[in-house]
Amino acid sequence: MQGGGEKHGGEATKRKPSMEQIEHSTIATNGINMHVASIGSGPPVLFLHGFPELWYSWRHQLLFLASKGFRAIAPDLRGFGDSDVPPSPSSYTPFHIIGDLIGLLDHLGIDQVFLVGHDWGAMMAWYFCLFRPDRVKALVNLSVHYNPRNPAISPLSRTRQFLGDDFYICKFQKPGVAEADFGSVDTATMMKKFLTIRDPNPPIIPDGFKTLKTPETLPSWLTEEDIDYFASKFTKTGFTGGFNYYRAIEQTWELTGPWSGAKIKVPTKYVVGDVDMVYHLPGAKQYIHGGGFKKDVPLLEEVVVMEGAAHFINQEKADEISAHIYDFIIKF
């Protein structure tokens, strides 16, 4: 696309940037080709999306931060969108994902970034800060709080203990099962079902996500055009790349033994909606507010609980989230 982007970032900050000014490129990194959307010039901000999402989930934040004099960068993580989709779940550990991102920053000649993550992107952002804190100036993470490694029990075993085999993360484990569930309705319908979830209870779905209600009308923050963009990309790739993040959970636990007890030593702000199911998982509120979170993330400066906001908070509350990110990173 023409306009704004990296070449004309200075101009983009003088007038309100538009979606047409976002530049798209493909970068070879860590053995894969990664699609990257970027706009603006100035201090770099790297955005990491979740499931089932794309760089596009950050469209509002990209434009806002570019208008404020930042260089906003949002890749499709491996397995998503226009980036490569390695077939094996064993290719989706944080070591692979952070390797992709370090390669991306090196390719762009960027030493340090402000890091912003949501959902799986937030989990990868925690690992990024654990593995390479030297590359991160500050972190803003949405929805998913830090989950320190428990050396005594693997995360899937613990999840099954508390939430059973019909909890969605457990159901995503067996190749083919989740694919059949998501493939049982057209992709646009599945995206509507998933992105508009507002139930704070853990998704325990014996019969799959296909049984979720499809909204008759979209919420004000989501347009048919948005749905069409997501659907066009997932129709092309399928959802297996995204499921593979869940299928690498046990392998990740095995490989991250050396980081047991390690702290996140990056200045951090955490934002979650009070209707987000992650906030209502067993033990989450106690951990976030009871001192455990601050102990594991000693440079945690702010915890924000947004009233009336559900899981896809960066899209649902786009302006507020953009402001939360900006207000934090300008301190540095």
Side-chain angles (χ1 to χ4, degrees):
M1 292 185 182
Q2 300 299 312
E6 292 162 26
K7 291 177 185 171
H8 308 289
E11 294 172 28
T13 59
K14 292 173 190 171
R15 61 185 186 277
K16 194 172 181 184
S18 65
M19 289 291 285
E20 291 71 32
Q21 292 174 294
I22 295 174
E23 291 199 339
H24 296 269
S25 57
T26 300
I27 290 169
T29 172
N30 197 30
I32 66 160
N33 291 309
M34 174 176 266
H35 165 247
V36 183
S38 62
I39 184 170
S41 61
V45 187
L46 179 63
F47 292 90
L48 309 181
H49 68 78
F51 175 87
E53 297 182 88
L54 304 162
W55 76 267
Y56 188 84
S57 306
W58 298 109
R59 58 198 177 278
H60 305 293
Q61 288 76 30
L62 291 177
L63 299 183
F64 179 84
L65 286 168
S67 77
K68 295 292 188 182
F70 288 86
R71 180 184 184 186
I73 304 163
D76 284 332
L77 297 179
R78 72 163 58 200
F80 291 95
D82 293 319
S83 293
D84 285 352
V85 184
S88 170
S90 64
S91 299
Y92 289 82
T93 72
F95 297 99
H96 295 87
I97 311 306
I98 308 315
D100 298 344
L101 296 169
I102 293 295
L104 168 64
L105 297 187
D106 290 348
H107 178 93
L108 297 175
I110 295 171
D111 182 45
Q112 275 197 320
V113 291
F114 294 111
L115 191 58
V116 182
H118 169 255
D119 188 75
W120 265 108
M123 289 183 68
M124 291 303 156
W126 292 122
Y127 282 114
F128 196 128
C129 294
L130 202 58
F131 298 161
R132 293 302 303 270
D134 57 306
R135 304 299 293 265
V136 184
K137 282 185 188 173
L139 168 69
V140 180
N141 251 350
L142 313 179
S143 178
V144 177
H145 55 81
Y146 184 53
N147 280 291
R149 185 182 187 275
N150 183 343
I153 185 170
S154 76
L156 268 186
S157 301
R158 185 173 167 80
T159 298
R160 285 200 171 95
Q161 212 176 67
F162 279 97
L163 296 166
D165 287 333
D166 287 332
F167 183 58
Y168 79 107
I169 290 175
C170 301
K171 288 187 79 76
F172 282 178
Q173 294 303 312
K174 192 173 179 184
V177 174
E179 284 87 345
D181 175 21
F182 274 57
S184 63
V185 297
D186 70 272
T187 310
T189 299
M190 182 54 74
M191 292 307 303
K192 288 179 182 179
K193 288 174 180 285
F194 212 99
L195 292 175
T196 58
I197 292 172
R198 294 193 68 78
D199 186 351
N201 295 303
I204 295 170
I205 43 165
D207 299 316
F209 279 98
K210 63 181 177 287
T211 60
L212 290 177
K213 187 180 175 187
T214 306
E216 290 179 20
T217 57
L218 291 174
S220 60
W221 53 270
L222 197 60
T223 67
E224 291 289 349
E225 184 184 15
D226 298 332
I227 292 292
D228 288 347
Y229 186 86
F230 284 114
S232 70
K233 299 302 178 183
F234 282 107
T235 298
K236 183 188 76 168
T237 62
F239 292 93
T240 297
F243 295 141
N244 280 344
Y245 284 71
Y246 297 90
R247 293 167 185 163
I249 287 174
E250 293 291 88
Q251 182 187 4
T252 294
W253 180 77
E254 292 170 8
L255 293 173
T256 51
W259 285 269
S260 285
K263 310 290 187 191
I264 301 285
K265 295 180 178 175
V266 168
T268 300
K269 178 174 185 171
Y270 171 72
V271 186
V272 67
D274 70 351
V275 193
D276 190 330
M277 70 91 181
V278 178
Y279 189 55
H280 294 267
L281 288 173
K285 289 181 190 175
Q286 182 183 357
Y287 175 74
I288 292 166
H289 302 293
F293 196 8
K294 177 69 174 172
K295 183 183 171 193
D296 293 326
V297 188
L299 300 181
L300 178 67
E301 295 189 16
E302 294 181 57
V303 171
V304 179
V305 180
M306 290 182 65
E307 194 174 333
H311 182 67
F312 295 97
I313 195 168
N314 47 334
Q315 298 185 75
E316 180 188 348
K317 300 289 185 182
D319 293 346
E320 294 95 321
I321 291 299
S322 294
H324 276 302
I325 296 166
Y326 176 72
D327 291 345
F328 189 63
I329 65 178
I330 55 168
K331 297 179 184 179
F332 306 92

